[in-house]
Amino acid sequence: MSLRVKALVVHTCPSRFLRVVTKSRARPQLLFACDACTGVFFFSSAQPENPKENSYVVASNHLTRFSSSYELCGCTNGFFLYVSKMILIGNELQLYVPLMCNPSTGQFITLPKLKSGKSCGVESYLGYEPVANELKVFSMEWSRVSGVSNVARKWICISGVIYYAASSHSYSLISMVACFDLRSEKLSFIKFMETFSKEMHHSATIVNYNGKLGLLMSRDFGLVHRANASFELWVLQDAAKHEWSKLVFVLPPLWKDVVVDTMCISGMVGKNEIVFSPIYQRDPFYVIYYNVESKTITKVGIQGLEAFQGKSLNIYLNYVENLLVPVKAIKENLRTLCFWVEKDYLFLVFPLA
């Protein structure tokens, strides 16, 4: 099943964009987003690579604060997409405005809404297309798409393709993965019922497994706790044939001693480390790295998040600060550019060079 999405492109004059290196720091970091009453707070910290010690502490760095969120969408290539509850634009307070921001610089731009004016039931995605070196925003009212009743809010962009879980039913189990190719602007769906012989719970986490799409899941409806014995990872091998392979990661006895809180799967770093985080902030805050090859477990404390104890933190892996691509320059171009916004979907393109 596939759907050709009409391209709604922002026509630009590339010479007006600064030709710069798009990523200023090559070393990936952890990005934390805390949505409090006073706004969305962003922090970053070092992202350990194959940590050897059983436990250690890293410091967090406060980046910036933006207006309070209605929905946190996600992060790609150093930029973050979310929907603001309320924001002052000119002299007018506006509700549910989509924003693209840069947590490292504090800059943001407001994006147009669908012509329908709807916010409920509309999902937005931010991807990076490496061939053309472009950021692309894609929004859609999924109730208008035949055969799709529900989509997960978690998504991931791998090699210019945005992936997210979807369901053909109104209840929580998912039965397919939606794929939006940013270069061809084509929407398609990958089934996995033939492989799994059943539907999958909505909490299955989409991950980048060594450049391939992976679905990482716990058998306990997505919850992670000390009683877990193993995790399953389904890796997409052939999208056209809907073929998946299965890996099972058996946890060592030490797992029961380290895990004391109910946790969630934050994602994977590389092809051998799963990252877990508590559902609610504790003092001190921490994440857990599990190396599936060496079967080692490392607890990493994060200092500097004490003010958000008891709050829900969203964690994004492999965040690379993007200090040199000026959001202001994009905004200045956007004021004079021509773009179209349809009733049911929106597609915007932002060249980076």
Side-chain angles (χ1 to χ4, degrees):
M1 177 181 181
S2 65
L3 173 66
R4 176 69 180 183
V5 178
K6 179 183 176 182
L8 307 179
V9 181
V10 178
H11 299 283
T12 66
C13 176
S15 62
R16 294 185 60 187
F17 285 83
L18 298 182
R19 295 185 179 275
V20 295
V21 179
T22 60
K23 296 181 181 179
S24 61
R25 293 188 182 182
R27 190 174 183 84
Q29 303 177 67
L30 297 176
L31 178 68
F32 303 92
C34 181
D35 194 5
C37 296
T38 55
V40 181
F41 294 82
F42 286 96
F43 297 80
S44 65
S45 73
Q47 178 173 285
E49 296 182 1
N50 298 312
K52 303 299 182 183
E53 302 177 21
N54 292 331
S55 179
Y56 63 95
V57 176
V58 296
S60 65
N61 173 40
H62 178 235
L63 297 177
T64 190
R65 177 178 70 88
F66 295 104
S67 59
S68 295
S69 159
Y70 168 73
E71 179 185 355
L72 297 176
C73 300
C75 184
T76 298
N77 207 53
F79 289 89
F80 197 92
L81 184 68
Y82 83 100
V83 180
S84 174
K85 284 183 181 178
M86 180 184 300
I87 189 171
L88 183 65
I89 301 178
N91 296 321
E92 181 183 356
L93 279 176
Q94 296 191 21
L95 302 177
Y96 310 122
V97 177
L99 304 176
M100 185 172 73
C101 64
N102 188 329
S104 298
T105 64
Q107 296 173 305
F108 72 93
I109 58 173
T110 58
L111 303 177
K113 297 181 181 180
L114 302 184
K115 283 187 176 179
S116 65
K118 290 186 177 180
S119 298
C120 182
V122 176
E123 298 295 338
S124 297
Y125 312 91
L126 173 64
Y128 173 67
E129 204 285 284
V131 177
N133 194 24
E134 294 173 333
L135 287 173
K136 296 189 177 184
V137 177
F138 171 58
S139 299
M140 175 170 280
E141 186 179 347
W142 282 104
S143 61
R144 302 283 184 172
V145 180
S146 177
V148 179
S149 298
N150 188 28
V151 294
R153 290 186 173 180
K154 291 183 178 180
W155 47 267
I156 193 169
C157 184
I158 303 174
S159 301
V161 180
I162 296 176
Y163 298 96
Y164 40 96
S167 174
S168 57
H169 308 288
S170 59
Y171 52 87
S172 61
L173 295 180
I174 60 176
S175 56
M176 67 186 86
V177 173
C179 316
F180 184 72
D181 189 305
L182 294 171
R183 186 159 180 79
S184 66
E185 299 156 13
K186 183 179 180 182
L187 178 67
S188 60
F189 297 89
I190 304 173
K191 297 180 180 179
F192 51 73
M193 288 185 62
E194 290 83 352
T195 299
F196 297 107
S197 300
K198 58 182 177 181
E199 295 173 321
M200 183 179 292
H201 194 266
H202 75 282
S203 59
T205 302
I206 291 182
V207 299
N208 184 340
Y209 181 70
N210 199 29
K212 293 184 177 182
L213 173 67
L215 288 171
L216 185 61
M217 61 179 293
S218 162
R219 282 300 182 188
D220 297 300
F221 298 101
L223 296 178
V224 178
H225 44 72
R226 63 189 308 176
N228 285 110
S230 64
F231 293 92
E232 292 183 0
L233 174 65
W234 292 86
V235 182
L236 179 64
Q237 300 297 339
D238 191 318
K241 297 181 179 179
H242 307 269
E243 291 182 352
W244 301 74
S245 62
K246 176 183 175 181
L247 298 173
V248 178
F249 304 131
V250 179
L251 296 167
L254 179 61
W255 175 264
K256 296 182 179 180
D257 299 326
V258 175
V259 176
V260 295
D261 299 298
T262 301
M263 310 187 76
C264 62
I265 302 172
S266 296
M268 292 194 71
V269 176
K271 63 177 182 179
N272 59 5
E273 286 190 309
I274 305 175
V275 182
F276 305 93
S277 61
I279 292 180
Y280 293 102
Q281 156 75 325
R282 288 174 56 93
D283 186 14
F285 184 78
Y286 68 94
V287 294
I288 290 178
Y289 285 74
Y290 173 57
N291 190 303
V292 300
E293 294 182 354
S294 63
K295 298 190 181 299
T296 55
I297 301 173
T298 303
K299 191 173 185 178
V300 180
I302 312 293
Q303 291 183 336
L305 302 176
E306 293 78 13
F308 301 101
Q309 183 176 359
K311 303 290 185 180
S312 178
L313 280 178
N314 292 272
I315 300 179
Y316 304 90
L317 308 181
N318 304 310
Y319 171 71
V320 179
E321 288 188 339
N322 197 331
L323 301 177
L324 298 179
V325 176
V327 173
K328 183 179 180 181
I330 296 177
K331 186 175 181 180
E332 288 173 350
N333 277 266
L334 191 60
R335 290 173 181 167
T336 59
L337 299 178
C338 174
F339 55 86
W340 300 301
V341 183
E342 296 294 326
K343 182 177 180 180
D344 303 326
Y345 57 86
L346 160 71
F347 189 66
L348 299 174
V349 178
F350 299 94
L352 295 181

